[in-house]
Amino acid sequence: MARVYNFSAGPAVLPESVLKEAAAEMLDYQGTGMSVMEMSHRSAAFKRIIEDAEADLRDLMNIPDNYKVLFLQGGATLQFAGIPMNLMTGSGKADYIVSGSWSKKAFKEAALLGNARCVASSEDKTFSYIPDVDTLELDPEADYVYICENETIYGTHYHKLPDTGDVPLVSDVSSCFLSEPIDVSKYGVIYGGVQKNIGPAGVVIVIVREDLLKDEWLENTPTIMRWKAQAEGDSMVNTPPCYGIYICGKVFKWIKAQGGLEGMKKINEAKAKLLYDYLDSTGFYTATAEEKDRSIMNVPFVTGDADLDAKFVAEAKTAGIENIKGHRSVGGMRASIYNAMPIEGVQALVDFMKRFERENA
Ligand SMILES: *Cc1c(COP(=O)(O)O)cnc(C)c1O
């Protein structure tokens, strides 16, 4: 068996021990004589799986009691619509900070449904930075302020949150979920697709403050999109993505074993430092995100020569480095170094980068 170092932005690398456990339980989950894939979502065994997953997530993130945790389907993208459907029910207005492709998509979706306003954008410099959160002119009447906390494609991250006063802050954390501790109480809604840092594609986790679960929705909002209905139905308005939730639960336990989010943060910072220190020490490669806004999860870099970049991507494969090609809107390379990427993988990447530099400089 040959496992590669998988730097994919998502779906992405998962902890090997989790995959092995899942393999061992594939045919007979804990004496039930069936796979989790084959079991009723109303069964006692699955009930325990989803309840344990929620309890472990609450524990890891220190989620206050006045927040609900929902395990839903449709990825982060379906919630681009779900957010306005559930929250644009007061003034009908919302402020969006557009810091990359994902927040731009979310903004466009909300603008289809209501009065969404882009209050700041970093598109002028190919989203290489996070707009200054101290100079925003936010609408105090807005139903929410929206950010994408880690822009997966551009490798930028909010190191300071906007002060939204009494207006709830909604954050897409898809690509930085559980990578470091956060203060949940600062947010109205935290949500993310799990396939970047937590589990298989198909699950999106929504953590929502209870007072935002109202009996009001935008007109024609389908039942399955209503957070309150999902909260009341324990995320089972219909059959939930059972197998995906089961894997998420295993990853939560794995993160606990790494020392929780504090432990995860230390490991992630060490990995990111290894890569950024090298990038900053060489004139051969350039990291494309502004230094002050750098992500420790996604690290885009270029040589400045598209042909050389293509050669890098092709030759990296021979060193067991996969999915290192950058997004087409940035070009070059992108190393996604999520929780489950071991530091050995980052070291292998840096070693290869050094060799490639020697051979091509
Ligand atoms: C990948 C990603 C999305 C989209 O996720 P889907 O599950 O494919 O809908 C949204 N936001 C961010 C930040 C992402 O990285």
Side-chain angles (χ1 to χ4, degrees):
M1 181 192 69
R3 296 270 298 166
V4 296
Y5 289 123
N6 178 9
F7 290 90
S8 170
V13 57
L14 287 170
E16 212 167 281
S17 61
V18 165
L19 298 176
K20 282 183 177 152
E21 261 181 49
E25 291 174 347
M26 182 61 77
L27 297 181
D28 176 10
Y29 174 74
Q30 296 190 355
T32 57
M34 61 180 94
S35 167
V36 172
M37 258 183 261
E38 302 170 299
M39 123 188 341
S40 164
H41 59 297
R42 307 284 177 198
S43 64
F46 185 73
K47 194 164 184 290
R48 212 173 66 234
I49 288 171
I50 193 168
E51 284 176 358
D52 282 358
E54 177 172 342
D56 284 332
L57 181 64
R58 284 185 174 278
D59 219 23
L60 276 172
M61 293 180 75
N62 204 7
I63 300 175
D65 288 344
N66 64 323
Y67 285 74
K68 292 282 186 198
V69 175
L70 310 176
F71 293 96
L72 307 178
Q73 314 198 36
T77 304
L78 192 58
Q79 296 306 323
F80 292 171
I83 289 156
M85 282 174 167
N86 284 280
L87 298 181
M88 266 187 178
T89 56
S91 65
K93 297 189 285 185
D95 282 345
Y96 277 71
I97 303 177
V98 174
S99 56
S101 305
W102 292 117
S103 45
K104 189 175 177 183
K105 282 191 174 145
F107 166 63
K108 284 189 166 168
E109 193 75 355
L112 288 176
L113 295 162
N115 190 357
R117 183 174 71 123
C118 168
V119 286
S121 166
S122 52
E123 195 162 13
D124 59 336
K125 292 188 186 161
T126 325
F127 296 123
S128 57
Y129 67 102
I130 298 289
D132 182 2
V133 296
D134 292 323
T135 57
L136 300 170
E137 290 183 22
L138 298 172
D139 181 351
E141 283 182 6
D143 288 325
Y144 61 92
V145 174
Y146 184 98
I147 62 169
C148 172
E149 202 150 329
N150 191 85
E151 285 282 2
T152 323
I153 292 173
Y154 304 95
T156 57
H157 186 84
Y158 280 76
H159 296 294
K160 181 183 181 190
L161 295 176
D163 178 2
T164 62
D166 290 335
V167 179
L169 178 64
V170 176
S171 179
D172 174 359
V173 298
S174 297
S175 51
C176 58
F177 227 155
L178 305 181
S179 62
E180 60 184 354
I182 60 170
D183 181 353
V184 175
S185 70
K186 288 190 175 150
Y187 303 80
V189 178
I190 298 170
Y191 82 104
V194 303
Q195 74 272 27
K196 310 291 161 71
N197 221 4
I198 302 179
V203 183
V204 55
I205 297 174
V206 178
I207 302 164
V208 52
R209 212 173 62 211
E210 260 167 7
D211 61 288
L212 299 173
L213 297 173
K214 302 193 199 95
D215 284 309
E216 279 179 292
W217 303 274
L218 289 187
E219 208 181 354
N220 300 327
T221 294
T223 309
I224 195 170
M225 297 298 292
R226 299 177 183 181
W227 291 342
K228 185 155 187 207
Q230 290 286 11
E232 285 171 354
D234 298 323
S235 304
M236 295 195 203
V237 164
N238 70 333
T239 316
C242 303
Y243 197 80
I245 293 167
Y246 155 75
I247 299 291
C248 291
K250 287 198 180 297
V251 172
F252 299 154
K253 288 199 191 302
W254 176 82
I255 295 173
K256 283 187 156 180
Q258 311 302 304
L261 299 191
E262 287 292 349
M264 222 51 263
K265 180 183 183 188
K266 279 204 195 90
I267 297 167
N268 287 329
E269 282 179 346
K271 286 186 295 180
K273 185 171 182 327
L274 191 59
L275 186 48
Y276 282 123
D277 278 355
Y278 174 59
L279 283 167
D280 289 341
S281 72
T282 158
F284 188 73
Y285 307 97
T286 312
T288 55
E290 278 190 20
E291 195 170 343
K292 67 176 174 48
D293 299 322
R294 280 175 175 174
S295 165
I296 59 169
M297 293 280 98
N298 310 100
V299 184
F301 57 95
V302 297
T303 63
D305 174 338
D307 291 338
L308 207 51
D309 290 345
K311 190 174 175 207
F312 182 104
V313 172
E315 287 184 11
K317 276 182 187 289
T318 63
I321 291 164
E322 290 281 345
N323 296 318
I324 195 76
K325 191 172 190 291
H327 190 270
R328 61 187 179 282
S329 58
V330 183
M333 283 68 71
R334 170 178 47 173
S336 294
I337 49 176
Y338 295 123
N339 286 352
M341 170 60 65
I343 195 155
E344 292 78 14
V346 181
Q347 188 61 58
L349 172 61
V350 170
D351 291 345
F352 173 76
M353 288 169 75
K354 286 181 180 165
R355 195 178 88 209
F356 189 82
E357 176 176 350
R358 274 199 309 276
E359 291 169 359
N360 295 277

